[in-house]
Every structure is written in C-alpha cells, then in structure tokens.
Amino acid sequence: MYPPAFDYAVPRSLDEALDLLAEVGDEGRVLAGGQSLIPMMKLRLAAPAHLVDINEISELSYIREVNGHLAIGALTRHADVVRSEIVGAGCSTMASAAPWVADPLVRNRGTVCGSVAHCDPEGDWNSVMLALGAEVVARSRTGERVIPISDFVVDFFTNALEPGEMVTELRVPRDDERSGGCYLKLERKIGDYATVGVAAHLRLDERGRIGRAGLALTSVAPVNLEVEEAERMMAGQEPSEELFAEAAEIAARTCQPQSDVRGPAEYKRAVVRAYTRRALHQALATARGER
Amino acid sequence: MTTTHQPTTPFDMGGIGHSVRRKEDDRFIQGAGRYLDDIQLPGMLHMAILRSPIAHGRILSIDASEAEAMDGVVAVVTGEMLAAHDLAWMPTLSGDTQAVLATDKVRYQGQEVAAVIATDPYIARDAVSAIFVDYEELPAITSPQQALEEGAVLIRDEKEGQTDNVAYTWEAGDREATDEAFAKADLVVTLDTHYPRSHPAPLETCGVVADVDPATGEATIYLTSQAPHAHRTLFAIVAGLPEEKIRIISPDIGGGFGNKVPIYPGYVVATAASLLIGKPVKWVESRSENLISTGFARDFHMHGELALTADGKILGLRASILSDQGAFYADAQPTRFRAGLFHICTGSYDFGAAHVAAKGAFTNKAPGGVAYRCSFRVTEASYLIERLVQNAAYELGMDPAEFRMKNFIRPEQFPYLSPTGFVYDSGDYHTALRKAMEMIDYEGWRRRQREPHPEGKLIGIGIASFTEVVGAGNSRTYDIAGLKMIDSAELRIHPTGKAILKLGVKSQGQGHETTFAQIVAEELGIPFSDVKVQEGDTDNTPYGLGTYASRSTPVAGAATAVVARQIREKARRLAAHLLEASPDDLEWEPGRFFVKGVPDKGVTIQEIAFAAYTDFPEDMEAGLEGVHYYDPPNMTYPFGSYIVVVEVDPEDGTWKVLDMVAVDDCGVRINPMIVEGQITGGLTEGFAKANMQWITFDENGNCIGSNFLDYLVPTAWETPRFRLGETVTPSPHHPIGAKGVGESATVGSPAAYVNAVIDALWSKGVRNIDMPVLPHRVWGALNGVEVAP
Amino acid sequence: MEVTVTVNGVEYRRETEPRRLLVDFIRTDLGLTGTHIGCDTTSCGACTVLLDGVPVKSCTMFAVQANGHELTTVEGLRRDGELSPVQAAFKEHHGLQCGFCTPGMMLVATALLGANPDPTEDEVRWALSGNICRCTGYANIVKAIQSAAATMHEGVRA
C-alpha cells in the first residue's frame, strides 16, 4: 500500500515549524510519530497536502516535573512514558496505561501528544487525560494557549486546534501521596483498539474521603467520555464498594456504545460497569499506598 | 504402538529420528531468503488492481481515460480487453468458472474489475484511483441461508442452466442404515454450529512476476505457488500457451497454509499483460487484497446428530452441511468430493452408520474454499464430531474422557473401514488419550474445577481426540482438475558421493530441504548435509501435485524412500563389482556395503558413487540416479488427543488457557524438532480460530476482516504455552511409516479449546458458542443475550 | 529530496520522493531485501528495522525521515563474518519456519537483549507482541531469544 504524494518539510526548531504551519494553513498536518497518520495515508483515508515533520526538533522530546505537574513534550514517544521514572513515580494512571497503547514497536515511534491530538475515541490517552484533568498547550506563530483537555477534545476525530496551531506540550497533574489511578483496557489482542477502556483517578483528602474523582471511558462514545456525573457523585464521599458500584452504574448508563464486531452495546455497558468498579478499587488502593 | 522411534544412523549422518538443524535456515537468518517480492527484472512493470467497492452490482461503464493519461501508466486492462483474448473467465479447481476481470457484474466486494500496469507501484496505485466505474447496485446476499430463500436474486446469472444459488449438493454414507440406527437410539444429541469463514493469511501475501519473452514466446512465471507443476499445466490450459514454453518458478515462500494453492485472477492478468506488453510484470497483493479476495477457508454451517444408547455407546451420526461458497465455487479439493473429505466426520469412534448431506450456496462473498492448514474440510469434520461427543457425554451424565474411551476404535480393529468409506491405516486412540490425561493431570483438574474460585472465575477442561486423513491420493480415487494425486522424486548421486534430490512438491516453511535429505541419509547413508534438495522450478524438477493437505511426507517422502532404495539396489551391484563378490553376499549398514561375515571388506556409498562414473561393469549403465512416481496405496491417518484447561471470567467473558497438552501420533517422525515445530504452529492456529480469528460481513456484504486490525491473528503475548507428547503408530503402508503432521494441530485443536470453554459454562446452561469464542459471545451465552455477529 | 542514511555501517545517498516508505527505500532502492512487508496497517512487524538502535516498523515511516540517521537491518546482524548470538540461536532452536517474519523477530530480539540482558519469558513475549509469526507458534522464538541471552552472558564472562 502506497501513500499519495505530499509536500514535506522538516523544520529544525519549533519556531521554524510554526512558521511552516502558518504558511500551509489547514492543508497541513504535523507529522510526529505518524503511527496513525501514515497507515491512514497508505489506505488512502487521509491525503494531507503538506506534512511538517517535527521529529528533528529534539527540544520537544521531554518529560519534566514542573510546579506539581508533569510536562510531556510533543515528541515524547509512548515508550518514553513506559520507561520514565518520573511518570512511574508521579503519575500512576499514565504509567498504567502506557504499556497498553498499541504495540511495543508502535510505542517506540508514536507520540503521546500526537495521539491526544488525533482525538480517536478508541485511543487510550484521552481517557487518561480526561480522568486526570490534564491541559494541552497549543502554539502557533501568534502565541500560546493552554486548553483544558475537556475543551480540547471537541468531537469524533476533532480537536480544538486552529489552522497553524500545534500541540507542544501536555500538562498532567502529578499524583500526591494521597492520589492514584489506573487504566484498565479490554482488548482482543495486543495492538487492538480497546473494546472498552476505563481510566480512573482518585485524590483522597486527609480524612481518607474522596477529594477529587476522575473517570473517563474509551471506545464507548463518539469521543473519549468523561463521566462527570459519577465524578461529582463520588466527590466528598467515603470510598466504599457501594459507592464504586454506584459510580459504575452511572458510567454504564452514561456511555453510548455502538454494537459492532467487538460486541453488542449491552455487553460493552456490562464491561464498563465491571471495569469501572475494578478500576476505582485499584485507584483507591494506589491512592492509599497499598499497591 | 511404540513411544518413540530409535534412529539407526549416527546424528551427523542425520537419518530418520534425528533433530538435525535445518539446512535452509542459514539464508533466512541472514536476510538472504529470496521471496517473490525480492525479484527485480530489467524493465519490470508493476500492476495494481481496481476492485469492486460493493458486494453485488452490474457494471454500467468503466472510464479509464484519466488513468491511462497519467505519467508512468503503460496500460489499463479491463475485462472487455481480456474477453477479446477469451481470458475474461477462467476455470476453478472445483469445475466452476471464475471471472478474471469482471465484465458483466461484480459479485463480491473486492472483486477484480480492472488492472493498471505502470512503471512504478506508487504510480500504479495512484492510477487505480483515477479509474471511474459506474455500478447499478443489486441486493447483496450475505449468507447461504439467504441465498437459498425463494426469490433470492440470482448471483450466477451468467451461468448456463443455473436457476438458483445452489453451488453443489453431495452426500456420503448410508442414509437407510443411519435411519435404522437412530430408530434404535435411547437418546439423540444434536448440535448446530457455524465454523466461520477464516483465512490462512501467510505473512507473505500472494504474488507473481510474469516474464514473457516477446522474441521466443517463452513465459517464465515466478509465482507464490504451493503447486508449481499443477499450476504450469493449468496455465497452459487457461492461457492456451504451449506447456513446454511455460516455466513456473516458485521461490522461497513466506508461508502458504493453502492460500497459495489456487490460481488467482491477478496471476492471469499479470501474465496476459506481460504477453501483450512484452515486459515483465509484477503483482504482489497488499494484505487487504489478500484478505478480501484470495483464499478464504471454512464457512460451514453444520448440523450434527448423534444416536446414543443409554449406557453410552454411539450408534450413528447424521450430519448436514450448508457451505458458503462465495460467488464462485473454487474449493481446492479432489474432484470426486464436493465437500472435501468432510465425510471423515465419524472421527475416532467406532459405530456402524453415518450419513452426510452437503449443499453449497453462492453468496456475494469472495470465492476460495482453500484447505487452510487442513486436508480438505477435515477440520470442519473433526470439529463437529468432537463438539458433539462432548455434549453427548454430558447429556448422558458421563465424563467426556470416559465416553471417548468407550467409543474409540480399538487398536485391533485396524485397518478400519469407516461407515463413510475410509480405511483407517493404523491407530491407538486409547493410549494417546490416556497419555494426555496423565500429562495434564486430568483428575486433578476435575477436582480443582469443583472447588470455588476466589475471584469467581470458571475452570473448564476440554478434550479433542481427532483423526485426520492426509496424503492424497491414491490415483484411482483422488485427482484435482483431472490431475491424479501422485508425487515424485528424482535422485542423482554425484561422483563424489554428494547428491541432489528433486521434488515436485514445494516447501513453504516445512523444512523440506532438511527432512527429505534425511530420508536419503536414512536409505543411502549419505549425510543429510551432502544432499541438496531442489523444488519449485518446473523445468528442473519432476512432476507433482504440490504441497498441501499434509501430503509431502506421505507422498513425496515415500517417493524419495523408494527411489533411494532403487539406487541402493544398483549400488549393491556396483559394490559387488568392486568387492568381487556376489550381490547376494553383501550386507548393508548405513552408508556402506560389506561382505557378509567379513565386516572389514566393504565399500562406502561414496566409493560406490565414484565407481558409478569411473569403474562400472561393462553390462551396467553408468551413473547412479533414478526417478520414482509414487502412487500411495491409501491415505495416512494421523491422530492425537489434546486437552486444554481454561479459566473464564464471567464478568467480561474473556478466557485464557491455563494449561494445554497435545499428544500427537503422526507415525514415524523424520525430524522430531521440525515435527514439534509444526505442531506448535498448528496449535496456535487452532487457538487463533477458537479465540479471535475470523472474517465476517455486514448486511451490505462489506468485508469485516480486511486487514490485521480487524482480522486478528495472535501475537506471542496471547498465544498459550503448550506441552507436547507423542506416541508412534507407524503407517503400515508407507515406506518409512510416516503419516504427515503439518496440519494435525490446526485440525484437531479448535474443538479442544471450545470444549474447554463450554465445559466451564455447562453448569450455567450453556450448550454451544460458535467460533471464534469472543468475550462478548461468552458473556452473551452466560447472560442469555443474543449476540450477532 | 536527497537522503543520506547509514545502513549497517555503510553510508548511502539517494534521491527520493517524500512519500516513499522507508521499507520500499530499503528493499528496492538499496536492494536490502531481508526486510519484508506483511501488512498495510502497522500490525505485523515483518518490516522491523533498528532506527538508531530502536526497533521501528519501516512501513510506517517515510524514507526522508531516516535522513541523517543510522539503520540496522537483518543484513547487518552478522558481524566480522560471524552470525550474531541471536541468529545462531534462531537456527539452533528452530525459531523459524518460512523465514518471513524472522528478520523482524531477530531485530526486536537484538534490541531487547541490548536493553535487558536476561529477560523472563513474559518479557520476551511482551517485546515480541508487535510482530506476527504465522508458522511457529512463537514457542521456539522465545526459547531462541532466551538461549541467545545465555550465550551472550557466557561471552561476557569468557
């Protein structure tokens, strides 16, 4: 399979990249890991006229701890996250999700920011980011915006970027000693998209109650779905089997799965229910330092 | 039965029974294998195919003008152009015809409509997007049941005399005797199941480089072919080319599994294009093209009934089959058998009566019906009987192992005439099952199964005790497209004692270069490393039907042993001449003749070979070579018992294999390492089909399963870990007692996995889940929710 | 566009179209046909090469993206006329049948053993989970890689 022709530019700095993106406007696409874009081009499902390849801008490859959050650069690969001690110590939810993104070779090339920008509702990272309340840093030649992830994810394969703008960084709240999370994914094999994915994150207050709850779902709506009703319901509550069961019920009720080869909608709701409960228990154990 | 075969040659000689390392590996591990797509010829052009986006429709017009005008495009070929050369249609391996490029209608999504020939594959692909076809869409038929409904749209309206969508009907066995058996039954157990559409999906797709020399008219066709000789003959017939001017070269093949047995439209178009343009033309399928258009397998809707006595004896089997053939009936199978060898479905059990009725229907799906790692529908047969047997045992309140033991054909009954007419050559089913039960600790697992699971998971234990039939012919009964299913071996011993063995079969990873050299080593004492094995070039190998249906060792292996023995007899006469003794006074040991009682007085095979060219008696023809065409007296009947233990999560419906043992009996093992490799691969294929791997269609006939994101094949992570065991019951009619093993595990294991899952769920009222046993199907079965697909 | 790339220690300079996939560049333009193509969807890993030592799927990169980088293909595994321990172990343990996935499997294994000299069976299987083999059922591939690890330890001690 062979991709259609395009114009190619490989900037050496972010400024140069932003200039190029400004020039090509909405005909242009950023080429980061390319692990979703290139297959789509090979199948001729995408045909961008211009590609701006950011792979040579090494300043965009980083994972840093800054002011209580983790900053993930636009060129940070999934495999960097898998290996990162900063993520391992500072973001249990990301650490739990990273090994289940795609396959090991794709993780060596694909980027977290690229996946977030792709807004594929079957992608794993946006559920993690929604559960964590992450922020997306977008830049263009005219300036920088910091966009809450819930505003960044607009629709099915649609993000909030303007022409000429690119994602340069993700800002993910760091776990403190009373928070923790996880990502549970049901997939049929390695490399498969999720049948259902559940990202759960809990921050406990000093009395052990739930201060903030984050819960988001993969593959069961036109976008990665934050279950705000369950998040609100859990906030301020004592964690318990019953509470998590109720949150799971809300998640199962709220999601909008489609019947397809991965199963009927009813089945996916049942998995959402089971995995939400399991994920919240696991998140609680992590927040309590039990695992 | 013995438990292993003891080698009679030293390890370095590498005769039968030695796990010598493979000779072919040196090139593969250095990236020096030469596969079809590696071939580059001067001036070579590239072909890309435009395929139908819809499942059924009439072609109103094709506009290729924009494509033809593109830089680098040499030609656009359409069905109309082929029709002018009488090449728009071609025969299939089952006596039907198949469109090469569609002229009237498209009959499945992915059907070949036009082809672009260009200087570069990227340009060829661009040009495909610049061909515009108008279709009048017709209703798509997506199941054989729908195809047979009153008033269903006629798919094969071009076929003279075809008034419905029936592709064939066929039956085997004795209907009356079976009815009588059922009349006597205390209990009848039934099962309806669909063995879903699957695809061999070898990692290398199919392809061709057609190089027709415009000056001489000679066609050299490089082809991913499991059967190069048969393909040459069929090319001669289809394309009307003189056979001596066609040379098929099948280079290294990156897996076949049946996918590379048929002739596909792309091969014909590329050859026609090369003939017309006068330059070599390459066509290599993309993975999507591979999965949507070439070589589907299975797709049998099966109904089975077992007649039983209250005390647990099987009296009879009734089976009826409705097969989904796709738009053309193209099964690669022996002519006389319209549903392959499905009538082996009485399996490993001794009972008097069976009847099989089969019907095939045309649907708007790709044609194929290839024997995917299977000897012509044997896996469908094995699956049906092994699933039925388990359900029968439960209905009778018996343990499924005990039920099998009670009904197995007994060792003293061989050769055993089955109720559908097969003569099983040898077997010892009780010992194989007993061994598998010991290896896995069957009773221990049954105990653990009854204990409550801390996480609420369910344990299941599944058995399959399969019997296969492989190694076609004999020539009286078995032919493909009229070609009798024999195979051959040509062996020449060079003056220095090295040898070349030429075969009509073709390895696709089975290790022929090693295994067949080992047979020569066994018979002639020439070290296997000194025997070059040549295959795949029709100009330089003797005729044969090819490698599929586990027939290489049973047929070509036998031919090799026989020709080597013939050469050994000539060697004896040469040795007698050299030793000035009578041939009858000589004794053979591996690699050497010596005078009886005088072990010091002898000559080696290498010395004899040298004499064959330098010092032979006056009344003897020079040289040391021979050719033998082997016509097997019977098929061989490998068997085995597999036991799987699974753990099912009732919440999400997932299941995983906790343990699996596979006891195989394929007769004498030539190279145990290679045999075990074949079994491990086959068990993985069986797991794939039981767990995830299938092709389905939506209601409009769109193929779901057209790439490796949708057609799921397991990685190292999902694949279970297997433990292997063996028994050895030699084939009594095969020269070295071997039976063929490449497909046993794929044939036998699917039922074991599914039986294990059903075993886990039986107490919850679940009686059947069709393959693949996907998590949502398990969940649906447990929760009484209908799930489709 | 002009591309300069070092493959198996040899520098190549070639003119190429931006859309040309790295795998086609390696196979056709450089004639290194040990790197294979098995799918269209970045699923099978037959095209695996090492990009600056890291295994990637060369069907999902453009050749121009390799400009200025170092690649290792299967042809580069053999060093100083000797098979690498991974190559030798694949033969010794029957880790291949048709050979089509083998280059990718061996390159992944080579990178794995560079990062983790003593992997468990689970770690090996996890590392291989972006590569498909249709013949072997993986067991002997895993065995070969663990055996190569042991051989490399002996080499270090010797």
Side-chain angles (χ1 to χ4, degrees), chain A residues 138-160:
Chain A
R139 276 185 62 179
S140 69
R141 200 156 58 172
T142 54
E144 182 177 288
R145 294 196 286 161
V146 179
I147 309 167
I149 184 71
S150 51
D151 294 337
F152 181 80
V153 179
V154 175
D155 205 344
F156 187 67
F157 287 97
T158 308
N159 61 36

Side-chain angles (χ1 to χ4, degrees), chain B residues 51-383:
Chain B
R51 294 173 181 279
S52 171
I54 59 172
H56 200 189
R58 200 164 296 285
I59 297 175
L60 301 177
S61 66
I62 300 177
D63 178 1
S65 51
E66 190 179 314
E68 284 166 336
M70 289 171 73
D71 274 351
V73 171
V74 176
V76 176
V77 185
T78 62
E80 240 172 74
M81 292 161 70
L82 290 181
H85 299 270
D86 206 17
L87 282 175
W89 292 81
M90 64 178 190
T92 71
L93 292 175
S94 275
D96 193 7
T97 51
Q98 172 176 359
V100 177
L101 293 175
T103 47
D104 53 342
K105 289 204 301 188
V106 289
R107 292 174 171 83
Y108 62 94
Q109 186 189 50
Q111 188 179 340
E112 299 81 358
V113 174
V116 173
I117 316 293
T119 52
D120 176 280
Y122 285 69
I123 294 171
R125 175 64 188 82
D126 290 345
V128 160
S129 297
I131 301 174
F132 304 97
V133 184
D134 262 347
Y135 298 100
E136 175 198 340
E137 233 176 297
L138 297 167
I141 292 182
T142 57
S143 76
Q145 292 84 357
Q146 200 188 337
L148 300 182
E149 277 169 14
E150 195 77 28
V153 58
L154 187 63
I155 295 172
R156 297 300 300 281
D157 53 346
E158 95 294 350
K159 211 174 166 177
E160 216 165 294
Q162 182 85 33
T163 55
D164 55 21
N165 289 319
V166 175
Y168 71 88
T169 55
W170 192 72
E171 62 182 315
D174 186 332
R175 187 189 290 269
E176 266 175 42
T178 306
D179 287 347
E180 279 167 33
F182 274 79
K184 284 187 225 144
D186 297 319
L187 175 69
V188 173
V189 170
T190 68
L191 178 71
D192 287 279
T193 184
H194 177 218
Y195 200 129
R197 186 170 272 240
S198 194
H199 196 288
L203 201 54
E204 179 204 35
T205 59
C206 301
V208 62
V209 178
D211 181 14
V212 185
D213 186 324
T216 63
E218 287 188 2
T220 306
I221 300 168
Y222 302 87
L223 201 62
T224 50
S225 170
Q226 297 178 222
H229 288 279
H231 283 164
R232 187 188 61 199
T233 302
L234 294 174
F235 258 93
I237 292 166
V238 172
L241 297 168
E243 196 166 356
E244 87 286 1
K245 290 199 169 176
I246 307 173
R247 179 180 181 189
I248 305 267
I249 296 179
S250 186
D252 284 330
I253 295 190
F257 314 119
N259 198 173
K260 294 165 182 170
V261 171
I263 290 183
Y264 295 117
Y267 301 168
V268 177
V269 181
T271 305
S274 176
L275 181 69
L276 296 174
I277 297 168
K279 286 189 174 175
V281 174
K282 179 192 271 188
W283 172 66
V284 177
E285 285 181 321
S286 69
R287 177 57 61 192
S288 308
E289 292 183 289
N290 175 251
L291 290 170
I292 63 174
S293 72
T294 58
F296 92 85
R298 323 295 190 235
D299 221 345
F300 261 33
H301 297 263
M302 307 189 280
H303 170 80
E305 299 174 19
L306 272 187
L308 302 157
T309 65
D311 66 346
K313 284 293 286 181
I314 305 173
L315 297 174
L317 167 72
R318 230 184 240 140
S320 60
I321 304 306
L322 178 56
S323 67
D324 186 336
Q325 295 299 143
F328 307 105
Y329 179 36
D331 285 26
Q333 66 192 3
T335 305
R336 204 180 284 188
F337 304 96
R338 304 282 74 194
L341 305 182
F342 180 81
H343 51 304
I344 191 78
C345 59
T346 57
S348 306
Y349 308 98
D350 175 29
F351 51 88
H355 183 259
V356 176
K359 182 183 275 190
F362 292 118
T363 60
N364 290 116
K365 300 179 187 174
V370 303
Y372 166 18
R373 217 168 176 170
C374 166
S375 181
F376 316 119
R377 306 291 187 183
V378 175
T379 185
E380 288 93 329
S382 172
Y383 185 78

Side-chain angles (χ1 to χ4, degrees), chain A residues 44 189-190 267 275 278, chain B residues 126 649 651-652 713 718:
Chain A
R44 306 233 168 179
K189 59 164 284 194
I190 299 292
Y267 166 70
Y275 278 40
R278 290 181 193 180
Chain B
D126 290 345
D649 182 337
E651 273 200 323
D652 64 9
V713 298
E718 297 83 29

Side-chain angles (χ1 to χ4, degrees), chain A:
Chain A
M1 280 300 194
Y2 307 103
F6 54 86
D7 286 334
Y8 174 81
V10 56
R12 301 283 155 170
S13 70
L14 180 57
D15 286 342
E16 196 189 331
L18 296 175
D19 286 345
L20 283 162
L21 282 172
E23 274 169 39
V24 297
D26 56 7
E27 293 284 290
R29 290 280 298 260
V30 171
L31 174 60
Q35 302 297 288
S36 296
L37 179 59
I38 296 175
M40 287 172 72
M41 291 173 69
K42 286 165 69 180
L43 296 170
R44 306 233 168 179
L45 300 171
H50 302 269
L51 286 184
V52 176
D53 181 357
I54 62 167
N55 281 279
E56 299 299 326
I57 311 175
S58 51
E59 64 190 89
L60 292 177
S61 175
Y62 58 84
I63 300 174
R64 292 186 202 120
E65 217 179 308
V66 190
N67 302 330
H69 68 257
L70 305 188
I72 316 281
L75 201 54
T76 304
R77 321 265 178 199
H78 307 300
D80 296 331
V81 176
V82 174
R83 280 190 300 263
S84 167
E85 284 176 18
I86 295 175
V87 172
C91 191
S92 46
T93 321
M94 280 189 77
S96 138
W100 297 98
V101 174
D103 71 43
L105 274 61
V106 171
R107 288 197 292 275
N108 283 339
R109 192 78 191 148
T111 65
V112 183
C113 288
S115 175
V116 165
H118 193 44
C119 284
D120 179 346
E122 296 187 331
D124 302 304
W125 280 126
N126 278 351
S127 292
V128 173
M129 297 306 149
L130 284 164
L132 289 167
E135 292 172 328
V136 179
V137 181
R139 276 185 62 179
S140 69
R141 200 156 58 172
T142 54
E144 182 177 288
R145 294 196 286 161
V146 179
I147 309 167
I149 184 71
S150 51
D151 294 337
F152 181 80
V153 179
V154 175
D155 205 344
F156 187 67
F157 287 97
T158 308
N159 61 36
L161 293 179
E162 300 289 339
E165 220 175 15
M166 66 172 271
V167 174
T168 54
E169 186 178 288
L170 269 170
R171 290 183 186 162
V172 184
R174 190 195 189 288
D175 286 347
D176 58 25
E177 67 279 11
R178 282 194 298 273
S179 55
C182 73
Y183 184 67
L184 296 185
K185 179 179 183 178
L186 174 63
E187 59 180 7
R188 297 168 300 176
K189 59 164 284 194
I190 299 292
D192 190 18
Y193 293 104
T195 300
V196 168
V198 178
H201 185 259
L202 295 175
R203 188 183 311 126
L204 306 179
D205 63 21
E206 51 287 354
R207 289 174 303 169
R209 292 190 187 163
I210 295 171
R212 179 193 174 278
L215 182 66
L217 311 174
T218 308
S219 294
V220 286
V223 292
N224 295 76
L225 188 71
E226 186 175 3
V227 192
E228 292 171 71
E229 186 188 340
E231 293 175 343
R232 281 196 303 273
M233 187 279 294
M234 286 187 282
Q237 302 292 312
E238 197 73 46
S240 70
E241 177 66 46
E242 293 71 31
L243 184 75
F244 291 167
E246 195 184 336
E249 243 1 277
I250 294 170
R253 173 159 47 76
T254 314
C255 67
Q256 308 141 36
Q258 299 285 313
S259 295
D260 59 21
V261 283
R262 290 186 176 82
E266 205 177 342
Y267 166 70
K268 293 181 184 179
R269 284 186 201 280
V271 177
V272 165
R273 185 180 295 117
Y275 278 40
T276 299
R277 206 188 66 242
R278 290 181 193 180
L280 287 168
H281 278 290
Q282 194 174 322
L284 177 65
T286 308
R288 284 175 171 169
E290 293 164 3
R291 51 179 296 152

Side-chain angles (χ1 to χ4, degrees), chain B residues 647-670:
Chain B
E647 182 183 84
V648 180
D649 182 337
E651 273 200 323
D652 64 9
T654 57
W655 54 276
K656 68 174 184 190
V657 173
L658 299 182
D659 197 4
M660 177 170 194
V661 299
V663 174
D664 271 275
D665 191 323
C666 56
V668 172
R669 298 182 174 201
I670 300 165

Side-chain angles (χ1 to χ4, degrees), chain B residues 423-485:
Chain B
V423 180
Y424 292 17
D425 60 347
S426 64
D428 183 350
Y429 303 153
H430 298 80
T431 303
L433 177 54
R434 214 172 286 126
K435 182 160 185 179
M437 291 170 73
E438 279 163 21
M439 280 178 70
I440 206 160
D441 185 16
Y442 184 77
E443 296 306 327
W445 275 113
R446 285 283 174 215
R447 278 194 302 277
R448 280 177 66 178
Q449 183 181 30
R450 288 189 290 270
E451 293 161 8
H453 192 284
E455 292 160 43
K457 297 194 175 157
L458 306 165
I459 303 288
I461 304 151
I463 303 174
S465 294
F466 67 94
T467 293
E468 248 200 311
V469 51
V470 309
N474 60 72
S475 67
R476 299 177 306 285
T477 316
Y478 299 99
D479 71 86
I480 289 186
L483 300 169
K484 301 289 190 185
M485 296 188 74

